[in-house]
Amino acid sequence: MRGYGRECFLGPLFKLLEATFELFIPLVVAGIVDKGIGGGDRGYIVRMCLILVALGVIGLMCAVTAQYFAARAAVGFSTRLRHALMERILGLSYSQMDTLGASTMVTRMTSDVNQVQSGVNLTLRLLLRSPFVVFGAMIMAFTIDAQAALIFVGVIPVLCVIVFGIMLITMPMYRRVQAGLDQVTSATRQNLTGVRVLRAFCKEDAEVAGFAGKTRELMNRQLSAGGVSALMNPVTYVIINLAVILLVQVGAVKVDGGILSQGLVIALYNYMSQILVELIKMADLIINMTKAAACGGRIAKVLELENDQESGSRGADSLRGAVEFRDVTAKYAGAGEPSLEHISFTAAPGQTIGVIGGTGSGKTTLVNLIPRFYDAAEGEVLLDGVNAADYDLEALRQRIAVVPQKAELFKGTIRQNLLWGNPGASEEDLWQALETAQASEVVRDKPGMLEFCVEQGGVNFSGGQRQRLTIARALVRRPAVLILDDSASALDYATDANLRIAIRNMKNPPTTFIVSQRAASVRYADRILVLDDGLLVGTGTHDELLKTCAVYQEVYYSQFPKEAADDGKAE
C-alpha cells in the first residue's frame, strides 16, 4: 500500500463525513414531526425538507469521493500484488514449481488477488464507517434519553459476538473453498490442453464425470461456508427487531408520561434502524474480509517462498562448453525412485552429443541438469572443470541455450521472439541464426518478414516452423552449450540433417546436446549416450553402439528394419 497513503486517508475520511451527515437526519425528522406536523408549521416542514435534501446531496458527494479514493488504492494495491506475485513465481526453481503446480498459481494470480482487492476496497470504505455509525447512533440516543439508550448498549455487544463468531467459523471454510477452486482450475487446464488426446481416446464422458465431481465438491464447500455466513443477516435482524419492539414500548410509555415527544421516539427508532443497516453492512464486510484474509494467506505463502537453489558467484563469460558428469544421480521432489543413477561422461567443447532412449528413460532430466533447472542429488555436474553450482545462476544460463520439447512462441513479431535470445542482436545476427536453423525461407515467405506478427502460442505457424524458429531464437544467443531437447521431432529427415550440419559448421560451434528418440538425429554425433530407465547403458559412436549396446540396436533397427535385414543376409 506504500504510495497510496493519501487515498487510504481520504477514502475513510469522506466516508466518516457521509456518516456524520447521516446521523443528523433523525434529529431533522424529529423536528419535522414535533414542530412542523405537531405545530402545523408548513414553512418549517419545507425548510427541514430542504435541509434533508442538502444532507443527502452532500452525503452522496462524500460517498462518491470516498469510493473513488478507495478504488484507486485497492486497484493500485492489487496491481502491485500481481506484479510481485508474478516476479516471485518466475524466480522459483523448477522443483518448487513442480511441487506447487501451475493450476494453483493461476488461481492465486486471478481469483485470490481479485478477492483481496475487493476486501481492501470494502475495508477502506466500511471498516471505520460502520462502527462510527453504530457507536455514533448510540451516543446520539443518549443525548435524547439515557434510559432508552441502554437498549442500544445491550444490543450492540450481542451483535458483535454473533458477527465475529461467525467470522471465526467461516474463515477456515473459505480456505477450503479456494483449495477446491484450485482443483477445478487444474482439471479445466488439463482438459483444455489435452482435448485432442481426450477425443482420440473417446474419454470425453469420463472427463466430464470427473469434472462434475470436482465442481460438485466445490459447490458443497461453498454451500457449507455460505450457509454459515447466511445466518448473519437473519440472526441480526431478529435481535434488532426485538430491540425495536422494546424501544417502541419504552418510548410509548415515556411519550404517554410526557417525558419524550413522538418525534424523539421516531428519532430513536431511526437510530436503531441505522444500527441495523450498518451491522448488516458490517456483517457483509466481515464475510468479504474473511474471504480476503484466506486468499491473502494463500498469496503470502507464495510470496514467502525463496528460490531453493543457491547461486554461486563465478562468472561464465569465458565458458568454452566442456561438460562433465561425475557419478550423477538425480531425483525429483516427492519421487520415490531416482530419475537418473550414477551417470558419468565427458563432452569436449564443440562436440555433438546425442542422447537417446525410450520414453521415461531420463533424457530430458539429464540435459536439465546442465543449466541447473534441477540440481543433482548426488555427484557433480562440471562445466569447464568447475562445479555448475559455483557459477552465478543467471550468468550460467546466459551461456547455455535450451530448446525445449514443446516449441513455444509468444505473441509479437518474429523479430521480438528472436530477440529473446539476445536483445542486442543485429539484423545480420538474426538472419544468420535463421539460416542455421533452416528457418530463413519460412520468414522470407511471410509478409513483412521479421515484422510478421506471431499469434499467441505461434498458432499461425506449423509445428515444424515453430520448432525451427525456437531453434533460431536459441542460436541468436551464440551459446557455449546448446541443448536441443527433442526439438526437431516435427522436421523431416532432410531438414533435420541440414540443421545438424549447419550447427556443426558454425564458427566456434557450441557443445551441442541432441535429445531424440530418432536414431537418425543422433547417428552422426561425436558421442551417443544411451539411457534406459535412468541408467547409462551405452556410450560411444553409432558404429560402436551397434556392436556393443543391445538397447541401441533395438531402437535403431526398429526404425531402420531394412538395414537389420541386410545385416542378417550378410551373415
Side-chain angles (χ1 to χ4, degrees), residues 127-401:
L127 186 62
L128 292 181
R129 183 192 189 281
S130 293
F132 180 81
V133 171
V134 169
F135 289 104
M138 184 178 69
I139 293 170
M140 296 299 288
F142 270 103
T143 63
I144 295 173
D145 184 81
Q147 185 179 356
L150 291 174
I151 298 172
F152 290 74
V153 176
V155 168
I156 291 173
V158 174
L159 292 172
C160 289
V161 169
I162 293 170
V163 168
F164 285 101
I166 290 176
M167 179 189 73
L168 292 174
I169 294 171
T170 54
M171 188 176 291
M173 299 177 77
Y174 281 117
R175 288 198 191 98
R176 289 194 290 273
V177 167
Q178 292 302 121
L181 184 60
D182 281 348
Q183 295 174 5
V184 172
T185 305
S186 177
T188 304
R189 183 171 175 271
Q190 289 179 26
N191 286 330
L192 290 176
T193 55
V195 64
R196 293 183 180 180
V197 179
L198 294 177
R199 289 175 179 171
F201 287 90
C202 301
K203 287 290 185 180
E204 296 96 330
D205 292 340
E207 286 301 317
V208 167
F211 186 78
K214 288 183 173 63
T215 53
R216 196 178 304 113
E217 184 179 356
L218 174 61
M219 179 189 71
N220 291 334
R221 292 182 183 182
Q222 288 177 319
L223 288 175
S224 298
V228 177
S229 298
L231 292 173
M232 189 91 71
N233 285 356
V235 172
T236 51
Y237 265 109
V238 168
I239 293 173
I240 286 289
N241 281 290
L242 289 174
V244 167
I245 293 170
L246 182 59
L247 180 64
V248 170
Q249 182 186 14
V250 172
V253 172
K254 289 183 177 288
V255 169
D256 188 53
I259 301 173
L260 286 177
S261 66
Q262 292 174 338
L264 291 176
V265 173
I266 291 174
L268 288 171
Y269 172 79
N270 283 338
Y271 282 127
M272 185 63 76
S273 298
Q274 285 184 347
I275 289 175
L276 171 62
V277 171
E278 291 305 322
L279 283 173
I280 291 172
K281 289 182 182 178
M282 191 70 177
D284 290 336
L285 170 64
I286 288 174
I287 291 171
N288 278 282
M289 287 176 64
T290 302
K291 293 179 182 177
C295 294
R298 286 159 48 83
I299 294 170
K301 286 181 180 178
V302 179
L303 293 176
E304 289 167 1
L305 288 175
E306 297 289 343
N307 192 318
D308 56 7
Q309 283 187 311
E310 294 184 6
S311 178
S313 57
R314 190 185 182 97
D317 293 339
S318 59
L319 190 68
R320 295 182 299 114
V323 178
E324 181 181 356
F325 276 51
R326 287 184 184 173
D327 196 29
V328 170
T329 296
K331 184 177 181 181
Y332 289 106
E337 298 292 332
S339 300
L340 293 173
E341 293 186 79
H342 308 296
I343 305 295
S344 297
F345 69 88
T346 58
Q351 275 192 329
T352 299
I353 307 297
V355 184
I356 196 169
T359 302
S361 59
K363 304 185 296 297
T364 297
T365 303
L366 184 143
V367 293
N368 279 342
L369 295 174
I370 299 172
R372 289 192 68 202
F373 290 157
Y374 297 94
D375 282 328
E378 299 175 16
E380 290 182 310
V381 178
L382 305 176
L383 294 166
D384 285 2
V386 179
N387 194 314
D390 294 337
Y391 287 100
D392 177 79
L393 202 55
E394 185 174 351
L396 175 65
R397 290 175 181 170
Q398 288 289 344
R399 299 290 293 137
I400 299 174

Side-chain angles (χ1 to χ4, degrees), residues 431-451:
W431 282 108
Q432 186 175 355
L434 289 168
E435 291 283 353
T436 305
Q438 311 302 300
S440 59
E441 291 303 317
V442 174
V443 177
R444 287 193 174 96
D445 289 342
K446 299 296 182 183
M449 293 192 289
L450 288 174
E451 306 307 322

Side-chain angles (χ1 to χ4, degrees), residues 387-418:
N387 194 314
D390 294 337
Y391 287 100
D392 177 79
L393 202 55
E394 185 174 351
L396 175 65
R397 290 175 181 170
Q398 288 289 344
R399 299 290 293 137
I400 299 174
V402 180
V403 184
Q405 290 174 321
K406 184 179 179 182
E408 289 285 1
L409 294 175
F410 298 90
K411 187 174 178 62
T413 63
I414 293 176
R415 182 190 300 276
Q416 289 171 333
N417 273 271
L418 294 178

